[in-house]
Amino acid sequence: MQTLTYFHFTFINFCIFLFFLAYLWHPDPLKKPNFYGFSTKFSTTQKLNQNPKSNLNYLTDQTPQHPLDPLTVQEINTIKLILSSYQLFLYSFPAIHYLSLDEPDKSSVLKWKKGDPIPPRKALVIAIFNTQTHVLVLDLNFGQVISHEINPYSGYPMLSNEDISDATQVALSYPELNRSVIARGMSFSDLYCLVQSTGWFGPDEEGKRVIKVLCYSSQGTVNFYMRPLEGLILTVDLDKKKVIKFSDKGREIPIPGGKSTDYRYSAQDMTEPLKMEPINPISMEQPKGPSFTIENGHIVRWANWVFHIKADQRAGLVISQAMVRDSETGLLRSVMYKGFGSEVFVPYMDTDEDWYFKTYMDAGEFGLGVSAMPLVPLNDCPRNSYYIDGVFVSSDGRPYVQPSMICIFERYAGDVSWRHSEMASYNFEIREARPKVTLVARMVASLANYDYIFDWEFQTDGLIRIKVSLSGMVMVKGTPYQNVHEIPNQEEMSSRLISENVIGVVHDHFINFHLDMDIDDSNNSFTEVNLVKEESLAGESPRKSYFKAKRKIAKTEEDARIKLNLYQPSEFHVINPSKRSRLGNPTGYKVVPGANAASLLDLLDPPQLRSAFTNNQIWVTPYNRNEQWAGGLLVYQSRGDDTLDVWSQRNRGIENTDIVVWYTLGFHHIPCQEDFPVMPIVSSTFELKPVNFFENNPILRAAPMSETDLPVCWPAASS
């Protein structure tokens, strides 16, 4: 820790003032480094014209309005000045790999009310300096570093844009690469190289930051992913900026053809008629406008819900202080303090030299927020959506804007919220139905070939549905085979031929969510409600069997490690033992799993050690502000020494205390021909659903819709 004198503090403030003047004078203050290290200019005027509902004006509105608001441009500039004045970095600025608000203590946030002073603002910085990882906490009010750790865990922070750019340039400058490209019969101008994380596979890989570079042909298509240069791989030392290993074992494998792989609408052959009836434009109309409001860019109010939303470089979309209004009392009641996607694990099932390391942990290695591209209006998000930008930092400490990376909208897809009908009898007939209108907060992370669509959907009945959808392109492997009949022992293949010379490699996707549940307060318990079969006693009933719901309160972390089992069904409740309904039931929410998958890897396989959060689908831990990321704080090339599994081994008490639920949803993906050249959306969900939380159904008095409420559109006549 470093203590500043009054003179030093005053000097820093003066420097910040001069720096901000220079920042305003700079002709392009919000320059964002793109994937290759070039600069793309985002004009604030153009941005607002394209998206009139964008919520930030970065050059004029610089004041946080809520304790959890993300760091502003001014604060990021202050951080750069503090680091530049820090004794260790006086002569050389560190490379920043992650920056976020170091959130105030939970207790102070919960006590805070609108109009109160904002708690002291702090920042968490993860940087690399002299090949070492530095984790620092900065006090922005006093302009000083208050905490500093070096190499606290085995791994490194997530990659920066500069890392990616440097590695690509090092690979493209390597002479052997040029010779290999020529030998494969392609032009260097069509070469497209992509960086990929290396994972960790033993002590031989420790002591240096390395990255793999794989190359593709983009000749005749933007979908270069379908045209791999199989067997060609370069290993780059990120700190020394040089190639340390070059492998070129696949020259005999042809580069797959690029015909019909370009997925852009403008590239489609419009001379051939579409072999399906066209669909007319469709939109949900809202004659009176949206029903939700956004306060100060981060507080969302809709129907009976209020929550805070923000963008994060690593997590992408973060929901905080989600509260629902009680339909009986009108009071706002706490449901969840904080929820976000904590880690993504994607292992490919191929042991070849140029494939075994493909076991990505996308949040901790690349960042979900950094990978969130601007959403496409009317396609990614419907009309009347509200867009939120992210303010992030480049490795040199300068802020930049990640535009339109989150959208918020109301959804109505013709679904029913509740209904009941009674046939005409006793002189009355009942036909009651209510439409299901929900509020969605959405972000899409584009992580190389895959796009991950994250939806947080809020319902008026108190339910929160979390949905992850996968799209984009499968990662493919080149092969000499064009037909399955050419493949010897094809049944022994772990993957499938999906096009000529193209294999779709079998793989998994696992997404873990951090859910800090606060049901009516922070002191909660986790209850497993097991459905247990009972045999009827002789002569007791014509029935021979039935089942009972038996509750078991988890005392420790070990009690709450859940592997889902179809033949041992259970419900999983987070309850508040101190808050009771009028009937005496503890108020609660239950985690409702959807379609899921479990990891089949060996527990001692290095990728599984690093992603041990997939060992169970549900975990519960006591709240610890330092335990945010299921794969650990430092994931890149980590050994798995700082994971959810490691924390849970402490077997701490979790009864009637502040607890965090961790839920992992998963997909097994066996690619097929329909996944080529682009794959259809596949989705999985889970829900957080009220259980004895309300005294009765909170939407009982919700009004139905009538034809006079909306414009009426009729279908075209059909024979």
Side-chain angles (χ1 to χ4, degrees):
M1 183 183 298
Q2 185 184 45
T3 304
L4 277 68
T5 63
Y6 176 78
F7 173 78
H8 193 185
F9 177 61
T10 305
F11 176 73
I12 287 180
N13 283 337
F14 177 69
C15 290
I16 292 171
F17 173 72
L18 292 179
F19 184 86
F20 186 62
L21 288 179
Y23 169 82
L24 290 176
W25 171 83
H26 194 285
D28 192 7
L30 293 179
K31 222 180 234 186
K32 174 187 179 250
N34 71 8
F35 195 80
Y36 294 100
F38 302 115
S39 294
T40 303
K41 180 177 180 180
F42 291 101
S43 164
T44 305
T45 303
Q46 292 174 348
K47 176 71 170 59
L48 292 176
N49 287 340
Q50 293 169 359
N51 176 19
K53 295 191 177 183
S54 182
N55 66 316
L56 297 178
N57 184 334
Y58 296 104
L59 299 180
T60 59
D61 183 7
Q62 300 289 324
T63 306
Q65 302 294 314
H66 186 279
L68 299 178
D69 281 356
L71 296 168
T72 66
V73 168
Q74 277 187 333
E75 288 176 323
I76 294 174
N77 288 331
T78 300
I79 290 164
K80 183 170 185 178
L81 262 294
I82 295 172
L83 290 175
S84 299
S85 303
Y86 189 52
Q87 184 176 2
L88 185 62
F89 308 138
L90 283 176
Y91 302 106
S92 181
F93 194 78
I96 297 178
H97 287 250
Y98 177 67
L99 174 65
S100 73
L101 176 73
D102 187 57
E103 295 182 355
D105 288 338
K106 185 175 179 179
S107 58
S108 64
V109 175
L110 294 175
K111 292 175 184 176
W112 183 86
K113 298 291 185 289
K114 187 176 180 179
D116 292 347
I118 299 293
R121 300 279 283 178
K122 299 177 184 178
L124 172 67
V125 178
I126 304 180
I128 290 181
F129 183 74
N130 288 341
T131 72
Q132 294 184 312
T133 300
H134 297 255
V135 180
L136 307 101
V137 176
L138 280 58
D139 188 312
L140 304 188
N141 296 70
F142 288 97
Q144 65 182 18
V145 175
I146 59 174
S147 174
H148 184 183
E149 290 183 276
I150 300 176
N151 298 333
Y153 304 106
S154 63
Y156 298 101
M158 66 187 196
L159 295 168
S160 67
N161 286 317
E162 287 70 23
D163 284 334
I164 294 169
S165 175
D166 289 346
T168 305
Q169 294 303 321
V170 167
L172 293 174
S173 302
Y174 194 63
E176 289 295 327
L177 175 61
N178 191 32
R179 283 190 278 271
S180 178
V181 168
I182 294 172
R184 291 169 185 258
M186 64 173 286
S187 171
F188 201 78
S189 62
D190 293 325
L191 186 68
Y192 193 103
C193 291
L194 187 72
V195 300
Q196 301 196 10
S197 55
T198 61
W200 173 82
F201 293 91
D204 291 344
E205 300 185 358
E206 294 178 5
K208 53 183 176 291
R209 283 198 311 142
V210 294
I211 196 166
K212 306 287 188 181
V213 180
L214 282 69
C215 295
Y216 304 79
S217 171
S218 62
Q219 183 181 15
T221 181
V222 298
N223 193 355
F224 58 87
Y225 294 107
M226 299 299 109
R227 308 199 67 203
L229 277 61
E230 198 58 49
L232 177 62
I233 183 167
L234 302 91
T235 305
V236 175
D237 187 313
L238 285 168
D239 296 317
K240 294 181 178 179
K241 295 181 175 53
K242 71 175 186 178
V243 175
I244 59 175
K245 186 177 180 181
F246 178 73
S247 179
D248 186 15
K249 298 181 179 179
R251 291 187 184 183
E252 74 283 358
I253 299 176
I255 302 172
K259 185 179 179 181
S260 301
T261 61
D262 194 331
Y263 48 80
R264 294 173 298 174
Y265 183 75
S266 60
Q268 305 309 305
D269 184 2
M270 296 303 177
T271 61
E272 289 289 327
L274 189 67
K275 302 301 191 296
M276 61 181 284
E277 293 297 323
I279 298 174
N280 293 329
I282 187 170
S283 176
M284 183 185 78
E285 298 301 324
Q286 296 179 280
K288 297 181 181 179
S291 302
F292 64 92
T293 60
I294 313 288
E295 296 179 9
N296 302 318
H298 297 288
I299 301 295
V300 180
R301 297 183 183 274
W302 175 79
N304 49 350
W305 282 101
V306 179
F307 58 89
H308 184 278
I309 186 170
K310 68 179 175 183
D312 179 82
Q313 280 185 270
R314 181 167 174 174
L317 187 160
V318 180
I319 302 289
S320 299
Q321 289 197 286
M323 297 179 286
V324 65
R325 193 173 301 280
D326 193 300
S327 59
E328 297 291 321
T329 65
L331 297 176
L332 280 173
R333 298 171 63 187
S334 171
V335 174
M336 182 180 70
Y337 181 75
K338 188 177 183 181
F340 59 92
S342 178
E343 191 53 79
V344 177
F345 175 50
V346 188
Y348 284 80
M349 303 302 150
D350 196 312
T351 57
D352 284 358
E353 181 182 354
D354 49 344
W355 274 87
Y356 76 90
F357 60 87
K358 296 182 180 182
T359 55
Y360 310 113
M361 298 184 68
D362 286 321
E365 293 178 340
F366 294 97
L368 302 180
V370 172
S371 305
M373 301 293 287
L375 296 163
V376 182
L378 300 183
N379 294 275
D380 281 328
C381 310
R383 187 173 296 174
N384 287 329
S385 294
Y386 181 95
Y387 294 84
I388 295 177
D389 302 344
V391 179
F392 298 154
V393 67
S394 59
S395 62
D396 63 358
R398 296 189 60 208
Y400 68 85
V401 177
Q402 199 83 337
S404 300
M405 61 169 283
I406 296 172
C407 71
I408 301 174
F409 59 90
E410 288 170 289
R411 173 155 60 197
Y412 172 60
D415 295 329
V416 178
S417 182
W418 71 271
R419 75 170 322 279
H420 183 66
S421 295
E422 286 284 355
M423 296 179 62
S425 58
Y426 299 101
N427 298 320
F428 69 86
E429 180 183 74
I430 297 175
R431 289 190 300 155
E432 286 287 325
R434 302 291 185 271
K436 178 181 284 190
V437 180
T438 62
L439 184 76
V440 179
R442 170 173 294 168
M443 181 210 71
V444 180
S446 297
L447 291 147
N449 55 306
Y450 264 109
D451 292 60
Y452 291 84
I453 306 167
F454 290 83
D455 283 356
W456 288 75
E457 184 174 14
F458 296 82
Q459 296 185 180
T460 52
D461 59 3
L463 182 143
I464 304 173
R465 175 177 290 115
I466 296 97
K467 179 179 179 182
V468 180
S469 302
L470 279 57
S471 187
M473 281 77 66
V474 294
M475 185 172 288
V476 301
K477 182 177 183 178
T479 178
Y481 305 116
Q482 296 195 8
N483 190 285
V484 294
H485 299 298
E486 302 172 1
I487 305 174
N489 301 320
Q490 59 177 284
E491 294 304 320
E492 299 299 320
M493 289 183 61
S494 61
S495 299
R496 296 292 180 264
L497 193 71
I498 61 174
S499 187
E500 290 78 4
N501 304 117
V502 177
I503 288 175
V505 180
V506 173
H507 58 282
D508 287 337
H509 301 264
F510 296 103
I511 301 93
N512 177 271
F513 286 86
H514 171 112
L515 306 165
D516 182 0
M517 305 299 292
D518 277 7
I519 307 302
D520 273 330
D521 204 347
S522 294
N523 280 5
N524 290 176
S525 294
F526 180 79
T527 301
E528 188 175 354
V529 183
N530 300 307
L531 301 182
V532 181
K533 186 177 76 171
E534 298 281 346
E535 302 289 339
S536 300
L537 298 175
E540 180 184 26
S541 170
R543 292 279 299 275
K544 292 186 178 298
S545 63
Y546 61 102
F547 60 80
K548 289 182 178 180
K550 294 186 176 181
R551 291 183 172 87
K552 183 183 73 173
I553 295 178
K555 306 289 186 181
T556 66
E557 291 174 279
E558 184 178 0
D559 296 337
R561 298 184 198 130
I562 306 297
K563 288 180 171 64
L564 299 178
N565 188 332
L566 190 64
Y567 287 94
Q568 293 180 345
S570 302
E571 287 192 354
F572 311 103
H573 297 188
V574 180
I575 63 170
N576 188 325
S578 303
K579 304 288 183 179
R580 302 275 173 167
S581 71
R582 73 177 190 277
L583 302 179
N585 292 312
T587 64
Y589 262 67
K590 61 182 176 180
V591 179
V592 184
N596 212 322
S599 177
L600 303 179
L601 297 180
D602 190 286
L603 293 178
L604 298 180
D605 196 352
Q608 190 65 25
L609 289 173
R610 300 176 68 232
S611 64
F613 60 84
T614 62
N615 291 345
N616 302 296
Q617 286 73 54
I618 297 177
W619 309 68
V620 181
T621 62
Y623 171 79
N624 184 327
R625 71 194 309 268
N626 295 317
E627 296 176 1
Q628 298 277 323
W629 310 104
L633 179 66
L634 305 175
V635 169
Y636 197 86
Q637 292 180 243
S638 69
R639 298 195 301 263
D641 55 345
D642 175 41
T643 67
L644 173 58
D645 180 69
V646 172
W647 311 330
S648 179
Q649 294 300 329
R650 301 168 190 165
N651 204 25
R652 296 161 293 187
I654 57 170
E655 185 180 8
N656 197 16
T657 189
D658 195 354
I659 58 176
V660 175
V661 176
W662 307 76
Y663 183 84
T664 302
L665 59 82
F667 306 78
H668 295 309
H669 190 176
I670 304 174
C672 60
Q673 290 178 209
E674 286 79 6
D675 293 330
F676 180 89
V678 295
M679 61 167 287
I681 288 280
V682 294
S683 303
S684 185
T685 66
F686 70 98
E687 297 173 346
L688 304 175
K689 185 175 183 180
V691 55
N692 301 317
F693 186 84
F694 298 104
E695 295 295 349
N696 51 38
N697 192 320
I699 58 173
L700 184 63
R701 291 185 289 173
M705 288 187 184
S706 66
E707 291 187 4
T708 59
D709 293 326
L710 298 166
V712 179
C713 299
W714 299 102
S718 59
S719 57

